[in-house]
Short mmCIF file of all heavy atoms in Angstrom, two decimals:
data_model
loop_
_atom_site.label_atom_id
_atom_site.label_comp_id
_atom_site.label_asym_id
_atom_site.label_seq_id
_atom_site.Cartn_x
_atom_site.Cartn_y
_atom_site.Cartn_z
N VAL A 1453 71.58 200.96 100.58
CA VAL A 1453 72.88 200.48 100.11
C VAL A 1453 72.79 199.06 99.69
O VAL A 1453 71.86 198.32 100.26
CB VAL A 1453 73.92 200.67 101.34
CG1 VAL A 1453 73.55 199.81 102.49
CG2 VAL A 1453 75.35 200.42 100.87
N GLN A 1454 73.62 198.58 98.87
CA GLN A 1454 73.58 197.24 98.36
C GLN A 1454 74.33 196.28 99.45
O GLN A 1454 75.20 196.78 100.23
CB GLN A 1454 74.35 197.07 97.11
CG GLN A 1454 73.42 197.56 95.94
CD GLN A 1454 74.03 197.35 94.54
OE1 GLN A 1454 75.28 197.43 94.33
NE2 GLN A 1454 73.18 197.05 93.64
N VAL A 1455 74.06 195.03 99.43
CA VAL A 1455 74.73 194.08 100.29
C VAL A 1455 76.29 194.25 100.15
O VAL A 1455 76.81 194.32 98.94
CB VAL A 1455 74.29 192.68 99.96
CG1 VAL A 1455 75.19 191.67 100.75
CG2 VAL A 1455 72.85 192.52 100.29
N GLY A 1456 76.94 194.21 101.24
CA GLY A 1456 78.41 194.44 101.27
C GLY A 1456 78.91 195.80 101.33
O GLY A 1456 80.11 196.07 101.44
N GLY A 1457 77.96 196.75 101.13
CA GLY A 1457 78.31 198.18 101.15
C GLY A 1457 78.44 198.70 102.51
O GLY A 1457 78.50 198.01 103.55
N SER A 1458 78.76 200.04 102.56
CA SER A 1458 79.01 200.73 103.81
C SER A 1458 78.21 202.01 103.95
O SER A 1458 77.80 202.64 103.05
CB SER A 1458 80.51 201.10 104.01
OG SER A 1458 81.31 200.03 103.92
N LEU A 1459 77.94 202.38 105.24
CA LEU A 1459 77.17 203.57 105.54
C LEU A 1459 77.84 204.10 106.80
O LEU A 1459 78.28 203.40 107.66
CB LEU A 1459 75.73 203.43 105.73
CG LEU A 1459 74.86 203.37 104.50
CD1 LEU A 1459 73.37 203.11 104.98
CD2 LEU A 1459 74.88 204.60 103.76
N ARG A 1460 77.83 205.40 107.00
CA ARG A 1460 78.25 205.95 108.30
C ARG A 1460 77.13 206.95 108.86
O ARG A 1460 76.64 207.85 108.27
CB ARG A 1460 79.42 206.94 108.09
CG ARG A 1460 80.09 207.46 109.36
CD ARG A 1460 81.08 208.48 109.09
NE ARG A 1460 81.95 208.87 110.19
CZ ARG A 1460 82.67 210.00 110.34
NH1 ARG A 1460 82.44 210.94 109.46
NH2 ARG A 1460 83.41 210.10 111.34
N LEU A 1461 76.66 206.44 110.02
CA LEU A 1461 75.59 207.22 110.70
C LEU A 1461 76.24 208.28 111.68
O LEU A 1461 77.20 207.96 112.22
CB LEU A 1461 74.63 206.28 111.45
CG LEU A 1461 74.03 205.18 110.69
CD1 LEU A 1461 73.07 204.40 111.64
CD2 LEU A 1461 73.32 205.64 109.39
N SER A 1462 75.57 209.38 111.73
CA SER A 1462 75.94 210.41 112.70
C SER A 1462 74.83 210.75 113.67
O SER A 1462 73.68 210.63 113.32
CB SER A 1462 76.38 211.74 111.99
OG SER A 1462 77.58 211.46 111.16
N CYS A 1463 75.26 211.10 114.90
CA CYS A 1463 74.23 211.54 115.86
C CYS A 1463 74.78 212.77 116.56
O CYS A 1463 75.73 212.79 117.22
CB CYS A 1463 74.07 210.40 116.93
SG CYS A 1463 72.96 210.94 118.30
N ALA A 1464 74.18 213.92 116.20
CA ALA A 1464 74.54 215.22 116.78
C ALA A 1464 73.72 215.48 118.00
O ALA A 1464 72.47 215.36 118.09
CB ALA A 1464 74.24 216.32 115.72
N ALA A 1465 74.39 215.95 119.12
CA ALA A 1465 73.75 216.12 120.31
C ALA A 1465 73.78 217.68 120.66
O ALA A 1465 74.88 218.35 120.37
CB ALA A 1465 74.44 215.40 121.40
N SER A 1466 72.73 218.14 121.25
CA SER A 1466 72.70 219.55 121.76
C SER A 1466 73.37 219.66 123.11
O SER A 1466 73.62 218.61 123.80
CB SER A 1466 71.29 220.09 121.69
OG SER A 1466 70.56 219.28 122.76
N GLY A 1467 73.65 220.86 123.62
CA GLY A 1467 74.11 221.07 124.94
C GLY A 1467 75.62 221.03 125.03
O GLY A 1467 76.31 220.70 124.16
N ARG A 1468 76.08 221.42 126.21
CA ARG A 1468 77.48 221.55 126.53
C ARG A 1468 77.98 220.43 127.43
O ARG A 1468 79.15 220.55 127.79
CB ARG A 1468 77.77 222.92 127.19
CG ARG A 1468 77.49 224.07 126.19
CD ARG A 1468 77.61 225.39 126.94
NE ARG A 1468 76.62 225.61 127.89
CZ ARG A 1468 76.57 226.83 128.63
NH1 ARG A 1468 77.57 227.69 128.52
NH2 ARG A 1468 75.56 226.99 129.43
N THR A 1469 77.20 219.38 127.70
CA THR A 1469 77.62 218.39 128.60
C THR A 1469 77.63 217.02 127.91
O THR A 1469 77.58 216.03 128.54
CB THR A 1469 76.67 218.29 129.78
OG1 THR A 1469 75.36 217.94 129.33
CG2 THR A 1469 76.68 219.58 130.63
N PHE A 1470 77.92 217.01 126.56
CA PHE A 1470 77.86 215.79 125.81
C PHE A 1470 78.85 214.77 126.27
O PHE A 1470 78.60 213.58 126.41
CB PHE A 1470 78.29 216.10 124.28
CG PHE A 1470 78.33 215.01 123.41
CD1 PHE A 1470 77.27 214.19 123.05
CD2 PHE A 1470 79.62 214.47 123.01
CE1 PHE A 1470 77.32 213.11 122.21
CE2 PHE A 1470 79.70 213.44 122.10
CZ PHE A 1470 78.50 212.78 121.73
N SER A 1471 80.02 215.23 126.70
CA SER A 1471 81.03 214.29 127.20
C SER A 1471 80.65 213.53 128.50
O SER A 1471 81.40 212.69 128.98
CB SER A 1471 82.36 215.01 127.41
OG SER A 1471 82.24 216.05 128.41
N MET A 1472 79.67 214.05 129.21
CA MET A 1472 79.17 213.31 130.36
C MET A 1472 78.13 212.16 130.11
O MET A 1472 77.72 211.48 131.05
CB MET A 1472 78.47 214.37 131.26
CG MET A 1472 79.28 215.53 131.68
SD MET A 1472 78.58 216.79 132.74
CE MET A 1472 78.46 215.88 134.25
N TYR A 1473 77.87 211.98 128.81
CA TYR A 1473 76.88 210.94 128.48
C TYR A 1473 77.60 209.76 127.83
O TYR A 1473 78.36 209.82 126.93
CB TYR A 1473 75.83 211.51 127.52
CG TYR A 1473 74.88 212.49 128.14
CD1 TYR A 1473 75.21 213.86 128.29
CD2 TYR A 1473 73.67 212.04 128.65
CE1 TYR A 1473 74.36 214.79 128.84
CE2 TYR A 1473 72.75 212.91 129.17
CZ TYR A 1473 73.15 214.33 129.32
OH TYR A 1473 72.27 215.19 129.93
N THR A 1474 77.20 208.65 128.28
CA THR A 1474 77.47 207.36 127.52
C THR A 1474 76.47 207.33 126.30
O THR A 1474 75.25 207.58 126.43
CB THR A 1474 77.20 206.12 128.38
OG1 THR A 1474 78.08 206.23 129.48
CG2 THR A 1474 77.43 204.86 127.63
N MET A 1475 77.04 206.97 125.13
CA MET A 1475 76.24 207.05 123.98
C MET A 1475 76.08 205.62 123.30
O MET A 1475 76.99 204.83 123.38
CB MET A 1475 76.84 208.02 122.96
CG MET A 1475 77.08 209.42 123.37
SD MET A 1475 75.50 210.17 123.68
CE MET A 1475 74.67 210.19 122.06
N ALA A 1476 75.01 205.42 122.79
CA ALA A 1476 74.74 204.01 122.16
C ALA A 1476 73.87 204.24 120.83
O ALA A 1476 73.25 205.14 120.53
CB ALA A 1476 73.98 203.16 123.11
N TRP A 1477 73.90 203.01 120.11
CA TRP A 1477 73.07 202.94 118.92
C TRP A 1477 72.19 201.69 119.13
O TRP A 1477 72.73 200.68 119.60
CB TRP A 1477 73.90 202.75 117.62
CG TRP A 1477 74.60 204.00 117.20
CD1 TRP A 1477 75.87 204.40 117.49
CD2 TRP A 1477 73.96 205.02 116.35
NE1 TRP A 1477 76.16 205.67 116.88
CE2 TRP A 1477 75.06 206.03 116.15
CE3 TRP A 1477 72.73 205.18 115.73
CZ2 TRP A 1477 74.84 207.15 115.43
CZ3 TRP A 1477 72.61 206.36 114.95
CH2 TRP A 1477 73.55 207.34 114.83
N PHE A 1478 70.92 201.83 118.82
CA PHE A 1478 70.03 200.69 118.83
C PHE A 1478 69.40 200.62 117.43
O PHE A 1478 69.45 201.62 116.64
CB PHE A 1478 68.88 200.85 119.86
CG PHE A 1478 69.35 200.70 121.22
CD1 PHE A 1478 70.21 201.63 121.88
CD2 PHE A 1478 68.99 199.53 121.96
CE1 PHE A 1478 70.59 201.35 123.19
CE2 PHE A 1478 69.35 199.28 123.22
CZ PHE A 1478 70.11 200.27 123.88
N ARG A 1479 68.74 199.58 117.11
CA ARG A 1479 68.01 199.50 115.85
C ARG A 1479 66.73 198.78 116.02
O ARG A 1479 66.54 197.87 116.88
CB ARG A 1479 68.92 198.80 114.72
CG ARG A 1479 69.17 197.36 114.96
CD ARG A 1479 70.17 196.84 113.95
NE ARG A 1479 70.51 195.43 114.10
CZ ARG A 1479 71.34 194.79 113.36
NH1 ARG A 1479 72.11 195.44 112.48
NH2 ARG A 1479 71.66 193.50 113.61
N GLN A 1480 65.73 199.03 115.14
CA GLN A 1480 64.50 198.39 115.21
C GLN A 1480 64.00 197.97 113.76
O GLN A 1480 63.70 198.94 112.94
CB GLN A 1480 63.47 199.22 115.85
CG GLN A 1480 62.10 198.52 116.15
CD GLN A 1480 61.26 199.27 117.04
OE1 GLN A 1480 61.49 200.47 117.39
NE2 GLN A 1480 60.25 198.66 117.62
N ALA A 1481 63.96 196.66 113.47
CA ALA A 1481 63.50 196.26 112.21
C ALA A 1481 61.94 196.21 112.24
O ALA A 1481 61.33 196.06 113.37
CB ALA A 1481 64.01 194.90 111.84
N ALA A 1482 61.29 196.18 111.07
CA ALA A 1482 59.91 196.24 111.05
C ALA A 1482 59.31 194.94 111.80
O ALA A 1482 59.70 193.81 111.50
CB ALA A 1482 59.42 196.19 109.58
N GLY A 1483 58.40 195.19 112.67
CA GLY A 1483 57.77 194.07 113.38
C GLY A 1483 58.60 193.46 114.50
O GLY A 1483 58.12 192.46 115.11
N LYS A 1484 59.75 194.05 114.81
CA LYS A 1484 60.56 193.48 115.78
C LYS A 1484 60.87 194.52 116.96
O LYS A 1484 60.65 195.68 116.76
CB LYS A 1484 61.92 193.12 115.24
CG LYS A 1484 61.76 191.91 114.20
CD LYS A 1484 63.18 191.46 113.74
CE LYS A 1484 62.98 190.18 112.90
NZ LYS A 1484 64.30 189.67 112.42
N GLU A 1485 61.34 194.01 118.06
CA GLU A 1485 61.77 194.78 119.22
C GLU A 1485 63.05 195.60 118.82
O GLU A 1485 63.92 195.27 117.98
CB GLU A 1485 62.01 193.93 120.37
CG GLU A 1485 60.80 193.15 120.87
CD GLU A 1485 59.91 194.08 121.59
OE1 GLU A 1485 60.32 195.03 122.30
OE2 GLU A 1485 58.65 193.87 121.38
N ARG A 1486 63.09 196.74 119.50
CA ARG A 1486 64.38 197.61 119.31
C ARG A 1486 65.52 196.87 120.06
O ARG A 1486 65.42 196.36 121.26
CB ARG A 1486 64.14 198.99 119.92
CG ARG A 1486 65.26 199.92 119.60
CD ARG A 1486 64.86 201.30 120.08
NE ARG A 1486 63.69 201.78 119.52
CZ ARG A 1486 63.15 203.03 119.59
NH1 ARG A 1486 63.82 203.89 120.34
NH2 ARG A 1486 61.99 203.37 119.03
N GLU A 1487 66.57 196.73 119.43
CA GLU A 1487 67.73 195.92 119.83
C GLU A 1487 69.07 196.67 120.01
O GLU A 1487 69.32 197.72 119.16
CB GLU A 1487 68.06 194.62 119.08
CG GLU A 1487 68.36 194.91 117.58
CD GLU A 1487 68.77 193.69 116.87
OE1 GLU A 1487 68.48 192.59 117.44
OE2 GLU A 1487 69.24 193.79 115.68
N PHE A 1488 69.92 196.38 120.82
CA PHE A 1488 71.15 197.09 121.09
C PHE A 1488 72.07 196.72 119.90
O PHE A 1488 72.14 195.60 119.47
CB PHE A 1488 71.80 196.55 122.37
CG PHE A 1488 73.21 196.88 122.58
CD1 PHE A 1488 73.55 198.13 122.97
CD2 PHE A 1488 74.14 195.84 122.36
CE1 PHE A 1488 74.93 198.47 123.12
CE2 PHE A 1488 75.50 196.18 122.52
CZ PHE A 1488 75.87 197.46 122.92
N VAL A 1489 72.84 197.77 119.50
CA VAL A 1489 73.87 197.60 118.47
C VAL A 1489 75.31 197.85 119.02
O VAL A 1489 76.13 196.95 118.88
CB VAL A 1489 73.56 198.58 117.27
CG1 VAL A 1489 74.69 198.40 116.25
CG2 VAL A 1489 72.21 198.24 116.70
N ALA A 1490 75.41 199.01 119.71
CA ALA A 1490 76.79 199.42 120.13
C ALA A 1490 76.69 200.52 121.19
O ALA A 1490 75.74 201.24 121.18
CB ALA A 1490 77.68 199.85 118.97
N VAL A 1491 77.73 200.50 121.94
CA VAL A 1491 77.79 201.54 123.00
C VAL A 1491 79.15 202.08 123.19
O VAL A 1491 80.18 201.30 122.97
CB VAL A 1491 77.26 201.05 124.39
CG1 VAL A 1491 78.01 199.84 124.90
CG2 VAL A 1491 77.28 202.22 125.48
N ILE A 1492 79.37 203.39 123.62
CA ILE A 1492 80.67 203.91 123.74
C ILE A 1492 80.67 204.74 125.04
O ILE A 1492 79.76 205.42 125.35
CB ILE A 1492 81.14 204.74 122.48
CG1 ILE A 1492 82.50 205.20 122.63
CG2 ILE A 1492 80.22 205.87 122.33
CD1 ILE A 1492 83.06 205.72 121.37
N SER A 1493 81.70 204.68 125.70
CA SER A 1493 81.93 205.38 127.02
C SER A 1493 82.07 206.88 126.90
O SER A 1493 82.25 207.34 125.72
CB SER A 1493 83.13 204.90 127.76
OG SER A 1493 84.32 205.02 127.02
N ARG A 1494 82.00 207.55 127.95
CA ARG A 1494 82.07 208.99 127.86
C ARG A 1494 83.31 209.45 127.23
O ARG A 1494 83.27 210.46 126.42
CB ARG A 1494 81.88 209.60 129.26
CG ARG A 1494 80.47 209.51 129.85
CD ARG A 1494 80.43 209.76 131.28
NE ARG A 1494 81.18 208.77 132.10
CZ ARG A 1494 81.25 208.99 133.37
NH1 ARG A 1494 80.75 209.98 134.06
NH2 ARG A 1494 81.83 208.05 134.06
N SER A 1495 84.34 208.90 127.48
CA SER A 1495 85.71 209.33 126.95
C SER A 1495 85.92 208.84 125.56
O SER A 1495 86.82 209.28 124.85
CB SER A 1495 86.80 208.94 127.91
OG SER A 1495 86.97 207.50 127.87
N GLY A 1496 85.20 207.75 125.25
CA GLY A 1496 85.41 207.04 123.94
C GLY A 1496 86.39 205.93 124.11
O GLY A 1496 86.67 205.27 123.14
#
């Protein structure tokens, strides 16, 4: 995407207990440590 643009990432989970998990996004740039981006509670 170009600078200033938008993207929507999706994360599909298996199983019937998805609502029992806290979910998060992390990212890792080349040559760098994996870093926290965002987290959401079980209920949202």
Side-chain angles (χ1 to χ4, degrees):
V1453 64
Q1454 289 187 319
V1455 170
S1458 298
L1459 280 176
R1460 188 195 196 200
L1461 306 183
S1462 297
C1463 172
S1466 65
R1468 293 178 288 181
T1469 59
F1470 177 71
S1471 62
M1472 299 178 72
Y1473 290 86
T1474 298
M1475 302 298 297
W1477 289 94
F1478 286 75
R1479 67 186 181 186
Q1480 188 167 15
K1484 295 187 176 181
E1485 296 287 320
R1486 193 171 301 186
E1487 65 175 4
F1488 167 77
V1489 174
V1491 59
I1492 188 165
S1493 63
R1494 290 170 290 177
S1495 68

